[in-house]
Every structure is written in structure tokens, then in C-alpha cells.
Amino acid sequence: MPKNRLIIGRKPLLEALEQGTNLEKVFLLQTATGDEISAIKKKARELNIALSLVPLEKLGRFTQANHQGVVAIAGLVEYQPLQEIISQAVDKGETPLIVLLDGITDTRNLGAIARSAHCYSAHALVVPSSNNAAITEEGIKASAGALERIPVCRVASVEQAVDILHLNGIQLAATSLQGSTLIQEVDLTIPLAIVMGSEDKGVSDFVLKHADHLVRIPMAGNFDSLNVSVATGIMLYEMQRQKALG
């Protein structure tokens, strides 16, 4: 990892947080204590920055400098407020289309999803700071540069994203093997957020409970799983097909 992407030490990180520096993730030593550590945790939560408590060996893999139990990674993309993106779309008379990630842990899948989202003119890719992959150079490469073009919104959690979307009248369509409705049987031309779940477990129980539509992608064979980035492309294509017919 390029050294200029690392912020090392308590005071440098606090200053970066106070200045609003774009950070991807903060790593704190599990046993670290003190007022500065408490302030770092508080500010990271306020800014929806992912924070991990790690052993000393993990920090040592980042740097051999005197890190004081603190290392942060500077972000590669500028995050934008989800509400602001939705409001801009509505003001333009456009139908909001959001792609929400729910536990995508492979940065290459994240990048491929962003590529499809950009190709089909999604207004934003929403990445909760917890339980999702970080945006890395590898992810940006997999996105073919789409992650630098499509608005990316970071929220504290999937729950927070769902609240914002529903408050704005945006329905949720989640792909699930439990879905009894095929994607072509659901109106995907409405204000919509497509929720894509983790590679191994699918969407979370919270999304299963709060989604407006649980849909299933039809398949010819008896193999019951598609790669999540492929599934995203199919969902977005069906949406585009319906709009073209409308």
C-alpha cells in the first residue's frame, strides 16, 4: 500500500478527522486507551468511517513507525450524502435509482457492481461502513473507473440507508432465493433501490423484513447461485428493459 495513503499516529489522525479528510478506514490497537482514542472513535462514528479494533501485529503490517496504536487509510473516492443525491435526482425530474450494498466483502465484486450501476445510469452506489469491503485500487480497477464517476454514498449501516430511502418514497427490491416473484413480474421503473446481498449469505435479515419486493432471477439449470455482480447486471438490465417498453 502506498505510504501516502496512511495516516499514522493519534494527533495526525485527529487533525485529519477534524479537517474532514476523506478516510476509508481507521484501525485502532485493541488495548489503546486515552482521551485521544475516545475522540477518534467518536469522530469516526459521526463521519460513518469504518473502525476496527486490531492486534499489534495488524498495525505492524501497515507500518514500522511509531503509530501510537492508530493507523488510518485515506480514501480513494469522495463520498457524497445520500439525501443530497436523491434530492438532486428529484429536482431534475428523474426517477431515483440507487444500488445498495448489503454485506459485499469482495472489493472486486464491489468494483464490478459499480461498473454495472454506472452503465445503467444509477444515481448512486450506497456502501454502508460496516460489513462491506473497502474501496481499494483493486476495486477501482475492477470497476473500469466507474467508482471515480458514479456518486458513492457512505452511510453508517444498511438500516440507516433503508430509513433514508423509505422516507423519500423509494422502494427496495432485493434479490433472494426466498423470493417468490420473478424480476420481470415486478415494476422496476418506479423510484427504486436495488439491494444486493453478500456473496455467501445473500441479503441480511433486516432487508428481508423491510424490502418492498423480494425477487428471484430465473435460471434454466439447477445451480442456485449467481455471482453478485452478475446478478446486479441482470437486475439493472431488466429495469432498463421495462423502461424502454414503457
Side-chain angles (χ1 to χ4, degrees):
M1 178 180 297
K3 291 184 178 180
N4 60 2
R5 285 199 62 208
L6 295 180
I7 298 174
I8 301 166
R10 301 185 182 194
K11 287 187 178 179
L13 178 54
L14 268 176
E15 290 175 2
L17 289 167
E18 292 295 339
Q19 293 169 5
T21 302
N22 177 32
L23 301 177
E24 190 66 36
K25 193 166 187 177
V26 172
F27 296 90
L28 297 181
L29 182 65
Q30 291 169 333
T31 56
T33 59
D35 292 342
E36 289 173 325
I37 295 296
S38 297
I40 288 169
K41 290 180 178 179
K42 181 175 184 292
K43 195 65 179 177
R45 284 193 295 268
E46 290 174 358
L47 297 174
N48 295 330
I49 298 171
L51 189 151
S52 290
L53 302 179
V54 298
L56 185 63
E57 294 77 13
K58 174 77 172 181
L59 296 181
R61 288 199 289 270
F62 285 118
T63 179
Q64 294 301 309
N66 180 21
H67 49 64
Q68 302 175 304
V70 173
V71 174
I73 302 175
L76 291 170
V77 300
E78 291 292 334
Y79 294 102
Q80 301 185 41
L82 177 56
Q83 181 60 61
E84 185 175 305
I85 295 298
I86 295 170
S87 297
Q88 289 174 359
V90 172
D91 289 344
K92 293 177 182 177
E94 298 173 352
T95 302
L97 172 62
I98 307 295
V99 177
L100 170 60
L101 306 188
D102 180 19
I104 303 299
T105 56
D106 187 311
T107 189
R108 292 166 298 181
N109 277 337
L110 188 156
I113 289 170
R115 185 175 184 175
S116 293
H118 180 60
C119 286
Y120 286 101
S121 301
H123 289 98
L125 179 71
V126 181
V127 184
S129 60
S130 57
N131 302 318
N132 280 282
I135 294 177
T136 64
E137 289 94 343
E138 189 176 19
I140 289 178
K141 182 179 179 180
S143 78
L147 278 168
E148 298 170 304
R149 299 179 182 181
I150 187 174
V152 182
C153 304
R154 182 166 60 188
V155 294
S157 63
V158 168
E159 291 83 356
Q160 184 186 68
V162 169
D163 285 345
I164 294 171
L165 293 165
H166 275 162
L167 284 171
N168 283 275
I170 298 173
Q171 295 191 17
L172 271 65
T175 57
S176 171
L177 294 176
Q178 302 176 29
S180 58
T181 307
L182 296 177
I183 57 173
Q184 63 266 33
E185 298 171 345
V186 176
D187 182 3
L188 300 180
T189 66
I190 60 175
L192 190 69
I194 294 173
V195 189
M196 306 308 299
S198 70
E199 295 87 348
D200 54 347
K201 298 178 181 178
V203 294
S204 62
D205 290 340
F206 179 86
V207 170
L208 287 175
K209 181 178 180 181
H210 291 86
D212 300 282
H213 309 281
L214 289 179
V215 300
R216 180 166 49 87
I217 297 173
M219 289 179 285
N222 59 3
F223 197 65
D224 65 357
S225 179
L226 288 168
N227 174 274
V228 65
S229 64
V230 173
T232 304
I234 292 172
M235 284 285 289
L236 290 167
Y237 170 79
E238 174 59 22
M239 173 220 67
Q240 189 66 34
R241 186 190 70 83
Q242 291 185 16
K243 287 184 176 180
L245 292 174

